[in-house]
Structure formats: C-alpha cells, structure tokens
Amino acid sequence: MKAAITCLFLLPTFLIFSQIPYDLAPRELFFKEKDKTQVHLSKEGETIFYKKNEEGTRNSIYYLSAGTPLAERKKEFEGEVLDFWPTYDEGLVALVKQDTNLGVFFTNIHADRVRQLDVFPFSQLRFLQLSARFPNKILVDITAKASAKSGIYLLDLLSGHLKRMARMDDFQQLFFDQNFARVAALEVNDMQGHTILRFQGGTWKPVLEHPFHPDMFIGGLSRVVSVSIDGSTIYATTNIEKDKTSLVAIDVESGDITELASDPDADILPYAASIDAAGKPTSVVALWADSRRHYLDESVQKDFEFLATAINGNISFVEASQDDQAWLLRKMDGGPITYYHFDRTSRKLTELFNDYSFLDNYELATRTAHTITTRDQKKLPVHLYLPPGMSKADRFPKTPLPTVVYLHGGPWAGVTHWNSWFHNRNFQLLANRGYAVINMEFRGTTGLGKELCDAGNLEWGGKMHNDLMDVVDWAIRSAIANPKRVAVWGWSYGGYATNFAMAAAPDLFSCGISMYGISDLYEFIKLPFADNDLWRTRVGDPDTEEGANVLKGHSPRNYVENIKKPLLLTTGSQDERVPQKQVDDFAKALHEAGKKVVYFYYPEEGHDYQSAESWISFWAIAENFLHIHTGGRKQPRGADIESGNFVPVYGTEFIEDIE
C-alpha cells in the first residue's frame, strides 16, 4: 500500500535541480511575532515610540529620535505594557498589566519617575483623545469592575483626577472637539448597519442611516473619519444612494452634507486618511490592490508626490505631529513594513526600521498591482508577487513561472487582506520558493462598491468561479504562469473555491490546496452559522427548489468524479464556521473514489490557524506537495513537520516520506 501511494507523488525528473536550497529562507522565520508593534510619533514630531515582542521586552516602551534613528532607548514599567499613547511634552501614558490587575501609568522620557495614577478598579481601558488646549489631560473609555462607574472620563495626567464626560450606552464610538465636548457618534442600528449621529442642541440627531451590507463583516465602510477640533464639521464615509463610499463633510449645526472625494472603482476607506491639525482630512485612500490616494490639500499632494519618488512602494500615512509638519509613514509593499520619519518643512525623509527584522538577510519578492477584465467586462484588482530577480521592467517575469493563485476568505473579507502580514507572509514564502503568486479579487467581495459585491449573489460556483478562470487565463496569456504548472490555493471561502475549481476545471490546475473549505453548500447553509437571510440571499435558499438546486449545483462534493489532479485538504477541529465534518466527508469521498488526496487536521485549531507551529508544519507538508506537482523549490522537512499538533487521515505515507 505504501508503495502504491508513494508512486502517486513521484518527483518528475525535470524538477531535480529545483531542490537546490540556495537563498531559501527558513519557513519558521515567516511565522514569528512581529518584533516591533504599536509605532507612534510624538506630538512634538521628533520622537518615535514602539513596543517589542521579544522575551524580556514587554515591560518597556522603546523610543528613538528621528535625528539619531540608531540610538534606541527605553522606558521601563513594573508590568506588561498592553497599550500606550504619547502625550504632549514627550510624555507617555500607558496601560500596564501587573499580575491580574490593570493600572494606568504616566511618565516623561526626560524624567526618571514612572507614576501610577489612582484609577478605580477596571477590566478594560481605551485611550481616546488628546487636546492641545488641555495638554495634561486625556479622554479614556473605562469599563469598570463596578459597572455603574463605566463611561468616558477625562483623566488628569498630573493629579490623576477623573471627570465623567459621557457614557458609551449603545454607541460604538464617540467623537469630541478640542474642548472634549461631544460632536459625533456611531451606532449599530435596527437594520444592523451603521448610523452616524451629530450632537446638536443638546440632543443626538441621526444624519446618515446605513442599512446592513456585507462590509459590516470587516467593521463597516460607512463610518466617521474625524471631526474638526472646533466641533463644527464631521468627516465621514458613506454609500447611501450610491455604489461606492465617498468622503463627505457634515455640518453639525444644519446637518447639510457635502461630498469631498470619491474613487471610480473602489470605496473610500474610513481609515488611512491624513488629518491636519484642525481635524480635517487632507487626503483619503481607496484600495485597488495598491493604494489610491485622493487629495483635499494641495501642499499635502505635493508632499506625497515627492514621497512617491523617494520611496519605491505604497506609502501609508500613520500619524502627524501636532503642527502637521512631521509625519510618521510606512511603506507597504507586501513584505515587512518599513517606517519613515518625514520632515515636511525641510523635505527630509529618514528611514527608521521595519517591523519584522527576521527576514533582513533575505531578498524578498517584488509586488505589483494589475487590473484584470473579466469575460463580462468586470474589472478586478490583483497583486502579483514575483521571486527575487525575476521581474522585468514591465513588472512581468522574465520567463513563465510555476504559479500559485490565492483566493481569500469571506468572501466578504475584501480590503483587509491586501496589506496584512498574516496573509502576505505566505505569499513571500511561496515566492522565495520560486513561485509567482497571484493574490486576486473577485465579485462578491467588499471594498470595491456594492454593485460588485452584489454581483456575487448566487454565483459561488458560477461567475465567481469564472473570475478565477479569467485571472488564470490572464496569467497564462501574460507569460506569468507556466500553463502546466498552475496551482490554486485558498482558505475558508477560498478553500471552497479551490475545491470547486478542481472539479470544474479538472485539466487546468496542477494541484489544489484547500484550507477549512466548504464542500457541501446545501448542508452548510442549514447550520446555525449560515441559517439566516444573508446566506440565503447571497449563496442560496435550501427551502426553495430553485435555491436548493443552486446550492447543490455549486457544491464540490457533488463533482468528486470530475477531479483529476491532487488535492491537499486541512482544517481545525475547533472551527465553528466550517465544521470539520465538511472536510472529513469531502476527503473521504475523494479517497474512496481513488483520487489523489492528502488530508490532515489540527485538533486545537479553529477557523484561521493561529499557532506558528501549525503554520510551519502545514507549509512543511504543502511545500513538498507543491514542489512535486507544480515545480517550485522546497525546504527540507527538518523538524518542522513534527512541530505542529496535527492528525493525518489520508496521505500518511506521503507525509512520512517527505525529505
């Protein structure tokens, strides 16, 4: 039996030389915690603060000067620093955990003393807002252990005195002016969408009421961006009576709304805006794979145009100094994020550090954005990752490469994955192994307008699958992909799409990798998680004959006999969204039909693996699987497979024989 299974995965002779391990980055390096997090700029604009994740560093806030970026210093606290904010005059206020208790501490980088403020016992605390008018005070949202005390307070950083300013009640967010007076609020309404309210005449008045949309799964794209410090204007994103969200200004006194910025292809996002000292957005961003920045201030536009030349990559605005003359920026190009300090007055740009130094000794993939036109004339963005040294000036590879096409989860989780290291680390690993990696979008996603999202209704195995086919066709026609060496991979919805693609296009893909993917939509839709109007409308209604036919027709489980190429399946036993039974049954059906299947599951993992050891062991297996069937390089197994706690079901001999 062992010999029979092993022969299914024999190494083609043309791949012998692909095993040479030059420049291979150890897979464990991709799955460490980021070494720098919570990066902030001081209000004065010269000092950069951050936390570290190394052992023995979590009781400190680290900082450096933009003028001497190699001279790192730190401020220590008695306990683990959970959160912090820079305050005026180079101050720091920190939320610190000591054993099981939380405390608030205040210090200054020029002072030796770290002082604990006398705050009543609480279970949660969030820093909300500072004001130059009251430099020694900060607005905080406190969840008290005695619930009657919970609310938003003005905390005096010198005396520790607390003054209650408001209660959160049913609001998700509250926004205040420079005097800490209420201006705007955001709440979830009866339609399960967002309502934006203005505080006028002593009462809350709804001004924009948004119904539910799938973008609520990523926090909602119709939100408050900022309020002016004088309290006269609310800046928000909204898509009421239009396809895509745009930036608007709301007059607090009258409620009048003025549109300020929009993008023809994508939603203006309620985050990543640059905000001036008066609280007004000076630029906003839409994502079409890469960032599209829209300007409301000519001087800001000129600065970003200068930065686009100075920094080769997507530029993301993080924070500004109080006078808006110093900026903290980051470069987001699909690898570790590089931070910069920018002095607007002198046009001096200083590179500070990246947040993931473990890969500093390895050349990483280049990432470029492209636009694909589908067979029915929809436009879709994609990111293309190419191995180091393989990109030509036209942003395409020098020769067709073994290619992995990735589909994200959701399918409504658009936007959030484009610059997420949780996703991108996998693309970088694959590019390091010699693959071209395509991170694609498809109809049914969010962030590209309501029309494109709604175009995915009842199309999981229809036009959404066609989008994948059109992207692969583009990759082959553009000489990116070797047509005989294209793999498809995804998790959650992407796992479903992989399962379906292997059956619907049995000769196109060399293999597929499906992580916690649905196989039987008809049964899945009846589970408590999906038994609601959203899933019935968007995917199919099992209670109608037409809907049942759609669900069954789009279920990979019903097309096992069509599958020709090998599939690797994996899932977590604690997954509360896609039950393990969905993957168990599909794997069993493939095995009993004599198909090439490798299946293993992680008893302690849920939906989206969290443990670094799980990812390391997964890729130790998946690299070898791709290497055999698609032709990229692989790292020897070493001890990586054994690092994860998984249970093999099918393909045990294949896993055991990995070298």
Side-chain angles (χ1 to χ4, degrees):
M1 178 65 177
K2 179 175 180 178
I5 294 180
T6 302
C7 75
L8 297 177
F9 300 98
L10 283 175
L11 180 64
T13 55
F14 72 87
L15 299 181
I16 291 174
F17 293 104
S18 69
Q19 297 182 69
I20 300 172
Y22 59 91
D23 295 328
L24 283 179
R27 62 179 71 89
E28 67 177 23
L29 296 185
F30 293 93
F31 299 99
K32 291 177 175 287
E33 285 189 271
K34 289 190 173 187
D35 57 356
K36 296 181 181 68
T37 62
Q38 293 181 235
V39 185
H40 289 287
L41 180 67
S42 67
K43 290 297 179 183
E44 290 69 35
E46 178 63 21
T47 306
I48 296 89
F49 300 96
Y50 50 93
K51 284 177 54 185
K52 290 186 174 183
N53 276 325
E54 302 165 17
E55 189 68 28
T57 66
R58 302 195 181 194
N59 67 331
S60 299
I61 298 171
Y62 291 80
Y63 60 98
L64 52 83
S65 169
T68 55
L70 299 180
E72 179 181 82
R73 290 169 286 178
K74 65 180 179 180
K75 182 66 69 172
E76 292 185 327
F77 296 80
E78 294 183 1
E80 180 183 357
V81 178
L82 301 181
D83 192 15
F84 73 93
W85 269 33
T87 65
Y88 295 93
D89 300 320
E90 304 284 10
L92 287 169
V93 58
L95 175 64
V96 178
K97 182 179 181 181
Q98 297 175 317
D99 296 324
T100 59
N101 297 316
L102 298 176
V104 181
F105 291 77
F106 179 63
T107 189
N108 185 287
I109 63 172
H110 305 296
D112 295 329
R113 186 184 177 196
V114 176
R115 185 163 47 88
Q116 183 171 4
L117 303 180
D118 186 18
V119 177
F120 50 75
F122 62 91
S123 56
Q124 293 181 30
L125 182 143
R126 291 188 302 137
F127 302 120
L128 296 181
Q129 184 175 316
L130 295 163
S131 170
R133 182 166 287 188
F134 305 97
N136 296 317
K137 299 180 188 295
I138 186 170
L139 210 59
V140 293
D141 177 18
I142 301 177
T143 302
K145 290 188 176 180
S147 59
K149 288 188 173 183
S150 294
I152 294 177
Y153 288 82
L154 193 60
L155 172 61
D156 190 305
L157 296 170
L158 300 180
S159 69
H161 179 262
L162 284 166
K163 178 182 178 182
R164 193 200 292 265
M165 304 297 291
R167 293 187 65 90
M168 284 300 291
D169 296 322
D170 293 328
F171 297 131
Q172 283 197 320
Q173 292 177 294
L174 284 171
F175 299 84
F176 300 79
D177 65 16
Q178 63 186 345
N179 295 316
F180 299 114
R182 290 169 289 180
V183 177
L186 183 80
E187 68 178 3
V188 176
N189 55 39
D190 292 340
M191 299 178 286
Q192 298 306 303
H194 279 156
T195 294
I196 295 172
L197 305 98
R198 59 191 174 100
F199 195 71
Q200 196 272 330
T203 61
W204 287 109
K205 297 181 179 180
V207 60
L208 289 169
E209 296 186 81
H210 304 92
F212 173 84
H213 188 264
D215 67 39
M216 288 293 289
F217 287 120
I218 57 171
L221 296 180
S222 297
R223 303 178 68 93
V224 175
V225 175
S226 67
V227 300
S228 61
I229 62 172
D230 65 5
S232 65
T233 309
I234 301 166
Y235 300 97
T237 50
T238 178
N239 59 9
I240 289 180
E241 297 183 352
K242 51 191 165 187
D243 178 32
K244 300 173 182 69
T245 61
S246 60
L247 179 73
V248 299
I250 304 166
D251 184 278
V252 172
E253 180 65 28
S254 66
D256 291 343
I257 300 171
T258 304
E259 183 169 290
L260 302 178
S262 62
D263 186 277
D265 301 307
D267 293 297
I268 296 294
L269 302 179
Y271 37 83
S274 58
I275 312 291
D276 68 13
K280 178 183 177 180
T282 54
S283 69
V284 289
V285 168
L287 279 182
W288 187 261
D290 283 353
S291 298
R292 292 180 174 179
R293 191 167 291 273
H294 298 265
Y295 300 98
L296 294 90
D297 182 286
E298 185 176 350
S299 67
V300 169
Q301 180 172 355
K302 290 179 179 178
D303 283 334
F304 272 102
E305 289 171 349
F306 166 80
L307 290 165
T309 301
I311 302 175
N312 182 23
N314 267 349
I315 306 161
S316 174
F317 178 89
V318 183
E319 287 178 344
S321 59
Q322 176 58 34
D323 62 6
D324 199 28
Q325 293 308 297
W327 288 350
L328 179 65
L329 305 167
R330 55 188 178 180
K331 175 182 176 180
M332 308 180 84
D333 59 0
I337 293 171
T338 302
Y339 286 84
Y340 296 85
H341 180 274
F342 179 54
D343 186 316
R344 297 182 67 196
T345 303
S346 64
R347 286 277 176 93
K348 181 181 179 182
L349 180 68
T350 304
E351 182 172 337
L352 302 171
F353 48 72
N354 73 57
D355 64 352
Y356 203 85
S357 62
F358 311 111
L359 294 169
D360 282 352
N361 294 328
Y362 298 91
E363 189 177 359
L364 298 180
T366 58
R367 183 182 81 172
T368 53
H370 302 264
T371 298
I372 311 305
T373 301
T374 67
R375 64 192 68 184
D376 59 350
Q377 303 305 303
K378 302 289 186 187
K379 292 188 181 299
L380 301 173
V382 305
H383 266 149
L384 172 63
Y385 290 74
L386 293 178
M390 287 302 299
S391 181
K392 297 186 299 183
D394 63 2
R395 307 184 302 163
F396 290 97
K398 298 174 181 177
T399 186
L401 295 171
T403 298
V404 178
V405 182
Y406 171 77
L407 299 106
H408 67 73
W412 304 297
V415 176
T416 57
H417 68 289
W418 289 109
N419 291 304
S420 161
W421 183 243
F422 187 81
H423 292 77
N424 296 350
R425 60 188 180 176
N426 300 285
F427 309 150
Q428 288 289 350
L429 181 150
L430 287 168
N432 181 261
R433 275 49 172 163
Y435 297 97
V437 184
I438 298 173
N439 177 20
M440 65 167 286
E441 265 305 359
F442 41 81
R443 72 194 70 204
T445 190
T446 53
L448 306 178
K450 292 185 288 189
E451 180 182 336
L452 191 71
C453 181
D454 295 346
N457 288 358
L458 307 181
E459 295 290 352
W460 274 42
K463 293 177 181 178
M464 291 171 73
H465 168 72
N466 290 345
D467 291 341
L468 168 61
M469 297 299 99
D470 293 342
V471 168
V472 174
D473 178 65
W474 165 80
I476 293 171
R477 285 188 290 103
S478 302
I480 295 167
N482 182 323
K484 296 184 181 300
R485 300 164 73 183
V486 180
V488 59
W489 162 53
W491 65 62
S492 194
Y493 166 80
Y496 157 82
T498 296
N499 294 338
F500 189 86
M502 294 299 291
D507 296 312
L508 179 59
F509 298 104
S510 59
C511 64
I513 300 176
S514 171
M515 305 177 72
Y516 26 97
I518 301 165
S519 62
D520 189 331
L521 280 175
Y522 181 73
E523 292 301 324
F524 174 80
I525 212 78
K526 294 186 284 186
L527 296 170
F529 173 76
D531 184 16
N532 53 60
D533 289 342
L534 169 72
W535 284 86
R536 286 188 285 270
T537 299
R538 301 274 172 175
V539 185
D541 187 346
D543 297 326
T544 68
E545 182 179 357
E546 181 181 4
N549 288 337
V550 167
L551 291 165
K552 292 175 182 178
H554 290 170
S555 291
R557 176 64 180 82
N558 296 329
Y559 304 102
V560 166
E561 291 298 332
N562 292 1
I563 295 174
K564 296 180 180 180
K565 303 295 178 64
L567 252 173
L568 186 152
L569 308 175
T570 184
T571 195
S573 297
Q574 306 304 314
D575 194 330
E576 296 181 354
R577 297 187 188 181
V578 181
Q580 183 176 335
K581 188 176 187 301
Q582 282 274 331
V583 190
D584 286 345
D585 290 350
F586 190 48
K588 182 180 179 182
L590 288 165
H591 176 72
E592 291 180 347
K595 307 300 180 179
K596 302 174 185 178
V597 58
V598 175
Y599 172 43
F600 52 96
Y601 65 88
Y602 291 84
E604 298 168 0
E605 287 286 3
H607 200 71
D608 293 340
Y609 296 163
Q610 297 301 312
S611 163
E613 291 75 17
S614 297
W615 282 103
I616 291 167
S617 63
F618 161 75
W619 277 118
I621 299 169
E623 275 186 46
N624 195 71
F625 182 82
L626 284 170
H627 166 71
I628 291 172
H629 302 296
T630 308
R633 300 187 298 161
K634 66 165 185 173
Q635 178 188 343
R637 70 182 287 161
D640 285 356
I641 290 179
E642 285 70 31
S643 71
N645 178 28
F646 67 89
V647 178
V649 181
Y650 301 113
T652 301
E653 292 85 351
F654 165 73
I655 296 172
E656 291 174 348
D657 289 347
I658 294 174
E659 297 180 351

